[in-house]
Amino acid sequence: LIMIFLWLLGFSMSVYDVTSQTISVRWPKFSGVSSYRITATAVNTVSHSLLAHFTDVTLKATLTSLIPNTIYAIQAEAIDKNGIILAETQIMQSTAPDTPVIDQAYSKLSNSITVEWRAVPGATSYLLTAQDGDSFVETVVKNSPGTLMGLKPATLYRISMRSINSGGKSQPSPFRKVKTVLAAPVLSVHSPSCDSIAVSWKAVHMAAGFCVSLMRSDGLGTMLKENTTNTSLVFTNLDPGTLYTIKAYAWNANGMPGDDFTYNQRTSPSAPADVKVALNSGALRAVVSWMPAEGALTYSVTVSSGLLKLRCNTSSASCMVPSLQCSSEYNVSVTAYNDGGSSKPTDAVSLKTVPCAPVNISIGEDEPGHLLVSWSSVSFGHYYVVFVKSDDGLEVHCNTSHTQCHFQSDCGFTYFISVFAYNKAGQSPLGDVFNYTTAPCCPSDFRAVFTSSDTVRIAWAPGRGADLYETRAAGGSGAVLCSDTAPACTLSALQCNTPYNITVSSFSEARGSNASCVPQHVATAPCSPEIKNISKEGLSVISVQWQSNNEEATYVVTARGEAGLWHCTSTGNSCALTDLPCGSAFSVSAIARSPAGQSLPSYSIPIETAPCCPNDLILTQVTQSVTNISWSVGMGAQTYVTTLESPKGQAKCHTLQNYCLLGCISCGTNYTVSLKAISETGLTSSCTYQGYSSSACCPSGVKLYRLRNNGIRVFWRASDETTNYSADLRGSKGNFTCTPTSGLSHCDVTEIPCGDVYTVVVAPVTDKRPKLTFCPKKTYS
């Protein structure tokens, strides 16, 4: 639709209906108008314009005899009584296409009618109408053919149509009368058995009869076809579990067929064959298997016993049925299913389960070493097996058709006891596992691992089955008890040098005490000796005495010091420690030994030996009257006294050091040398050494005289005619020495460099001592 509106002074025009040859327009009343003039002119077409006049009271008009599918320019003019145009407006409007003509109309389906026609120029679509009394159905289609849907079956309709473009719709075409065909029968289908299919339906309006056909959906075999006036029939002798296609339609009194209805139905499967049952006795479940049935989709296994029913559904050819009960008999059947129905159940297969576990089990020892196990009888139980397993892993069993068994037992074992019932189906489930513990065994390998004067530690190999041990020591003035879980016990506060009877008894929480354990004899170690006296028998010998208060004891006395250990042994009450080193401090103690053990040591008593004499003593003459004495350290000495003694007198020095200067020494004199080493406590060792001779006396009156040829003569006065002397001259240009022949008291030094200062020393000379350096010096230049 194309419309153009032109307003002038508020005057306008609109189209309200269009057909193939007419256009209806209307306009509003305009003030002062005497008449209206409407002109329609075809656009792009050579034809006469259509002109119409209307009074002032006419406000709408229909332009007729127009050309179909043509665009018109329509002008409206408002004119006053003087013929003056007061207002005008113009629109563009196309007429509808020409009216179509129905070639044919027919019904193939009960809910539709198909219409065919020739195309109309300018038409963009078509409106189809089916009318039944006051009701009608319309639909718009693009081109021929077109189908009206949603109609009623077996109903007579008036069919007409109109062509459409942008301008509007054409006039309706001449109608055709068409009747829809019969509705299809709605089938209800099922498979009452594995070789039949039953079909039924409701009556169809206006139907004179029905045609029903059946054929395998896979195309195999022949088609079965039945004509009937009834509303049901049954096809027999079909293949089990096979999908069939069923098609049915009704016909009217003229024999015209109506809609058909197609349905796919599968025959129910045949019953499965070769049903087998396998029982898992341990899990109390059964696996049921069978040969697959043709066309079966699923299977249902029913296991029943009285009012109890168990089911298992599966799509495979086997199924596991859990939660069976022991000591029961079941009937097992299998039914096959598919979308067509179910087969007949198979003949029942009998299944007997394993017997239940025996109950009311009692365990006891009718006498030591013999176990008796008894229980109540079990339904479906043919015989029984009793397993007895000890906690060391050894297992024995008893096979019997009665309700009791005998077994041998041993002390200290826990036995785990299980009773099973058996039949052809297998072993009963595991019932309660019972345990029975015998009395604990007595400890073995009893031994004293430590013994002292007041304590005995004993140990033993654990008694099998023992949780606790009680140790009792009887002897002396009473009894001592000890309880522990360990295989050892320490008995304290005992009397020394005393025999005891020690008994170790085993306990267990399950069975109590084993009081039949044999006592053992253990004695405590000797009592400690008491040292009564220590005396010195010599420089390196000490005698020790003690009080003897043990029987059959050996005593060991030990002197312990930094120098080491010294021992003496005796079965009496004294012994001597010999070869003790000098200058040493010792701690002396005594112990007693016997086959039962060793006593604690006695209280220690300190002793000390005299200090050692120094090994090395050296005398060095410092001046003609002073001598230095030094010595090595004497072990144990704190101070020293050194003495040089001759007929001419004595020199003595007392010092803390290991050296000493002695004065007033006479030259050329023989001395005896002695030294005393004194300990901190005043013990003294007197030491004697080799004699000492002081050096010869230095000469006196030393004089020097010049000689010719740069020589010097040195004179002196000898202190002893038997002593030999030598003269030493030392200067910056050289050192010179001269020694006279025996008996002379002078010597010459020749050819010494002039212009130098010399130091001259004359000293006695011996073969054993170095030249003396402390004689007086003279200077010569």
Side-chain angles (χ1 to χ4, degrees), residues 1-5 13-16 90-94:
L1 176 63
I2 302 175
M3 293 190 296
I4 301 175
F5 297 95
M13 178 175 55
S14 62
V15 176
Y16 67 88
Q90 180 177 307
I91 62 173
M92 304 296 289
Q93 176 63 47
S94 173

Side-chain angles (χ1 to χ4, degrees), residues 189-198 214-217 235-246 263-270 293-297 336-343:
V189 185
H190 70 282
S191 176
S193 65
C194 64
D195 62 349
S196 65
I197 291 178
L214 177 142
M215 188 174 183
R216 284 179 62 127
S217 297
F235 293 95
T236 58
N237 298 321
L238 305 180
D239 298 328
T242 302
L243 183 65
Y244 286 88
T245 299
I246 300 102
Y263 192 91
N264 290 326
Q265 175 66 43
R266 190 181 301 274
T267 52
S268 59
S270 59
E294 180 67 30
L297 300 180
Y337 291 85
N338 62 14
D339 49 6
S342 63
S343 71

Side-chain angles (χ1 to χ4, degrees), residues 167 173 184 293 322 368 468 487 592 632 634 666 687 740 762:
S173 68
L468 180 71
S632 59
S666 301
C687 310
V762 180

Side-chain angles (χ1 to χ4, degrees), residues 649-669:
Q650 184 187 66
K652 182 184 286 189
C653 173
H654 192 178
T655 179
L656 290 168
Q657 310 301 325
N658 61 338
Y659 60 88
C660 186
L661 288 175
L662 293 176
C664 302
I665 300 299
S666 301
C667 57
T669 302

Side-chain angles (χ1 to χ4, degrees), residues 363-373 407-411 415 436-439 511:
I363 305 167
E365 285 184 280
D366 49 1
E367 61 180 78
H370 293 83
L371 281 180
L372 174 63
V373 183
F407 295 91
Q408 287 189 344
S409 60
D410 199 357
C411 64
Y415 294 94
Y436 183 86
T437 302
T438 56
R511 202 54 59 191

Side-chain angles (χ1 to χ4, degrees), residues 676-720:
K676 288 183 180 180
I678 305 170
S679 71
E680 186 177 358
T681 59
L683 293 177
T684 302
S685 293
S686 297
C687 310
T688 303
Y689 297 91
Q690 184 179 0
Y692 167 71
S693 297
S694 60
S695 64
C697 297
C698 293
S700 60
V702 177
K703 296 180 180 180
L704 289 87
Y705 297 95
R706 186 189 301 272
L707 299 178
R708 289 183 299 176
N709 297 326
N710 293 328
I712 293 177
R713 174 167 289 182
V714 181
F715 284 92
W716 62 83
R717 188 167 44 250
S719 59
D720 187 355

Side-chain angles (χ1 to χ4, degrees), residues 18-313:
V18 177
T19 66
S20 302
Q21 295 180 335
T22 64
I23 297 176
S24 298
V25 295
R26 57 189 168 193
W27 57 87
K29 184 175 180 61
F30 197 81
S31 177
V33 171
S34 174
S35 64
Y36 298 96
R37 182 168 58 203
I38 307 299
T39 304
T41 304
V43 178
N44 299 326
T45 302
V46 178
S47 64
H48 295 289
S49 297
L50 178 66
L51 180 62
H53 288 272
F54 303 94
T55 64
D56 61 339
V57 296
T58 302
L59 299 179
K60 62 181 180 179
T62 299
L63 303 173
T64 60
S65 302
L66 302 180
I67 302 170
N69 195 37
T70 302
I71 298 175
Y72 283 87
I74 302 173
Q75 184 175 15
E77 297 171 313
I79 304 171
D80 64 4
K81 62 182 178 178
N82 297 322
I84 299 172
I85 298 173
L86 299 179
E88 64 180 7
T89 184
Q90 180 177 307
I91 62 173
M92 304 296 289
Q93 176 63 47
S94 173
T95 55
D98 204 356
T99 302
V101 177
I102 297 175
D103 291 338
Q104 62 174 334
Y106 50 86
S107 173
K108 289 187 176 181
L109 298 176
S110 62
N111 66 343
S112 68
I113 292 175
T114 300
V115 182
E116 295 180 2
W117 66 93
R118 289 186 299 275
V120 175
T124 58
S125 59
Y126 301 90
L127 176 64
L128 306 181
T129 303
Q131 188 172 3
D132 170 30
D134 293 334
S135 65
F136 60 90
V137 175
E138 290 184 336
T139 186
V140 176
V141 298
K142 291 291 185 181
N143 45 42
S144 178
T147 300
L148 288 154
M149 303 295 293
L151 306 182
K152 295 181 289 187
T155 302
L156 184 63
Y157 284 92
R158 289 164 54 107
I159 308 301
S160 64
M161 62 180 299
R162 303 171 74 178
S163 59
I164 303 172
N165 68 2
S166 60
K169 303 182 186 69
S170 71
Q171 287 86 358
S173 68
F175 66 84
R176 293 282 186 97
K177 289 185 178 182
V178 181
K179 193 174 187 178
T180 53
V181 298
L182 298 179
V186 179
L187 302 182
S188 177
V189 185
H190 70 282
S191 176
S193 65
C194 64
D195 62 349
S196 65
I197 291 178
V199 185
S200 63
W201 58 89
K202 292 183 179 179
V204 177
H205 178 62
M206 300 297 291
F210 302 92
C211 179
V212 183
S213 62
L214 177 142
M215 188 174 183
R216 284 179 62 127
S217 297
D218 56 11
L220 301 177
T222 59
M223 177 186 290
L224 302 178
K225 191 172 186 179
E226 297 284 345
N227 291 324
T228 182
T229 58
N230 296 326
T231 57
S232 65
L233 57 85
V234 177
F235 293 95
T236 58
N237 298 321
L238 305 180
D239 298 328
T242 302
L243 183 65
Y244 286 88
T245 299
I246 300 102
K247 184 177 290 187
Y249 64 86
W251 69 78
N252 59 18
N254 298 326
M256 181 177 292
D259 285 352
D260 57 35
F261 186 94
T262 302
Y263 192 91
N264 290 326
Q265 175 66 43
R266 190 181 301 274
T267 52
S268 59
S270 59
D274 194 19
V275 177
K276 295 180 180 179
V277 181
L279 177 67
N280 184 331
S281 59
L284 272 177
R285 59 191 181 193
V287 177
V288 184
S289 61
W290 55 88
M291 292 297 294
E294 180 67 30
L297 300 180
T298 60
Y299 301 89
S300 178
V301 178
T302 302
V303 179
S304 61
S305 176
L307 298 178
L308 176 65
K309 286 190 177 182
L310 301 174
R311 297 190 188 277
C312 170
N313 299 320

Side-chain angles (χ1 to χ4, degrees), residues 420-434:
F420 294 92
Y422 289 81
N423 61 16
K424 290 183 179 180
Q427 173 185 291
S428 68
L430 175 66
D432 294 332
V433 178
F434 296 87

